[in-house]
Amino acid sequence: MKVLLVEDEPGLVSIVVRGLTEAGMEVSVAADGNMGLEMAQTHSFDIIILDIMLPGMNGIQVCKEIRKQDDSVAILMLTALSSTENIVTGLNSGADDYLPKPFKFPELEARIRTLVRRSKVGSAPKNVISIAGLEIDTVSKTAKRDSKNIALTATEYHLLEYFAKNQNMVLSRIQILENVWDIDFNMGTNVVDVYVNYLRKKIDNGYDIKLIHTVFGMGYIFKEEALDETSN
């Protein structure tokens, strides 16, 4: 597994590089945003770990530039700014996940492996899930609605596929966290709600028939239904 770590704190770099190397990963390091972007654009990595507060180009800017060229590489944001607003800003820039500082190394390793596993194209037999003009190809990991391709990050795709495979079932936020993020703990933020909103903008906006609906106090349900005053 090839990892690009874009981080300017030498002590943290030393700890992360040593730990990931011992875990069998190949780690490259960039000490500022400009160098990180150049390395991301000229080399192939399985995952990019981005600090947000970097010299030169910050992590948000780097992430946006990477996403202009590559929608598939997994990106994990590191941030000392752990408010929901800052986390949402990072996710909106194209990151697949975030990890607030300080963090425990086993959690970092677990998130890295989870993100890389999800970003890889599956080898399951070809299967297209269709509903209300939406087609999800579980082999190519792509989606389109009314023949219009939908650009999805790895996390967005896995959330959509999980919804589609569990149509007409009320799914709690905990269920979604455990099955989409593959980590059994409370992330302590509204990250599920954030990603649901991302999906709604991409697959529901502009269509009379909505697919993602809120079940207040319980979670979400994926079904073909016109949006009414009690749905979100």
Side-chain angles (χ1 to χ4, degrees):
M1 186 185 301
K2 294 185 178 181
V3 180
L4 172 60
L5 173 64
V6 188
E7 172 62 62
D8 65 322
E9 297 180 29
L12 181 58
V13 169
S14 177
I15 292 171
V16 172
V17 170
R18 182 172 64 250
L20 295 183
T21 300
E22 290 176 355
M25 303 181 196
E26 179 182 330
V27 187
S28 300
V29 177
D32 60 63
N34 298 89
M35 181 185 300
L37 177 59
E38 181 180 354
M39 292 176 67
Q41 292 176 330
T42 56
H43 302 280
S44 177
F45 296 97
D46 296 298
I47 187 168
I48 299 171
I49 304 173
L50 273 176
D51 184 15
I52 289 182
M53 301 173 67
L54 291 166
M57 185 180 293
N58 66 42
I60 300 296
Q61 295 170 312
V62 173
C63 188
K64 288 180 178 179
E65 290 301 314
I66 292 173
R67 284 297 183 227
K68 289 180 181 179
Q69 297 183 4
D70 191 343
D71 281 333
S72 62
V73 66
I75 298 178
L76 172 63
M77 285 283 195
L78 297 180
T79 176
L81 307 173
S82 57
S83 71
T84 297
E85 181 180 356
N86 287 305
I87 291 167
V88 169
T89 298
L91 295 174
N92 279 336
S93 71
D96 295 294
D97 199 0
Y98 74 93
L99 185 59
K101 296 178 181 178
F103 55 83
K104 295 181 179 179
F105 183 80
E107 182 178 349
L108 172 64
E109 182 181 351
R111 293 200 184 204
I112 289 172
R113 294 190 184 282
T114 296
L115 288 172
V116 171
R117 182 169 64 248
R118 292 207 317 263
S119 69
K120 298 299 183 181
V121 175
S123 58
K126 182 175 177 61
N127 183 34
V128 175
I129 304 171
S130 300
I131 176 173
L134 177 70
E135 295 183 357
I136 304 164
D137 190 323
T138 60
V139 172
S140 65
K141 307 297 183 185
T142 58
K144 59 185 177 181
R145 190 164 186 184
D146 290 348
S147 300
K148 297 179 181 178
N149 292 328
I150 302 170
L152 298 171
T153 66
T155 300
E156 289 169 347
Y157 171 79
H158 279 269
L159 177 57
L160 178 60
E161 182 177 303
Y162 180 64
F163 273 139
K165 287 183 175 180
N166 293 277
Q167 293 178 39
N168 301 311
M169 294 177 58
V170 176
L171 303 171
S172 71
R173 289 169 177 80
I174 295 299
Q175 284 178 295
I176 295 170
L177 281 173
E178 292 177 349
N179 287 277
V180 176
W181 274 261
D182 287 345
I183 300 176
D184 185 13
F185 66 91
N186 186 350
M187 297 177 74
T189 74
N190 62 346
V191 66
V192 171
D193 304 284
V194 169
Y195 270 90
V196 167
N197 285 332
Y198 290 165
L199 277 184
R200 281 177 167 152
K201 291 178 181 178
K202 293 187 175 184
I203 72 170
D204 275 345
N205 278 7
Y207 294 92
D208 293 331
I209 301 298
K210 309 300 181 183
L211 296 173
I212 303 175
H213 305 271
T214 301
V215 181
F216 291 106
M218 299 180 68
Y220 295 96
I221 188 168
F222 192 85
K223 62 180 180 178
E224 183 176 347
E225 183 176 283
L227 188 66
D228 58 35
E229 294 181 355
T230 61
S231 300
N232 282 307

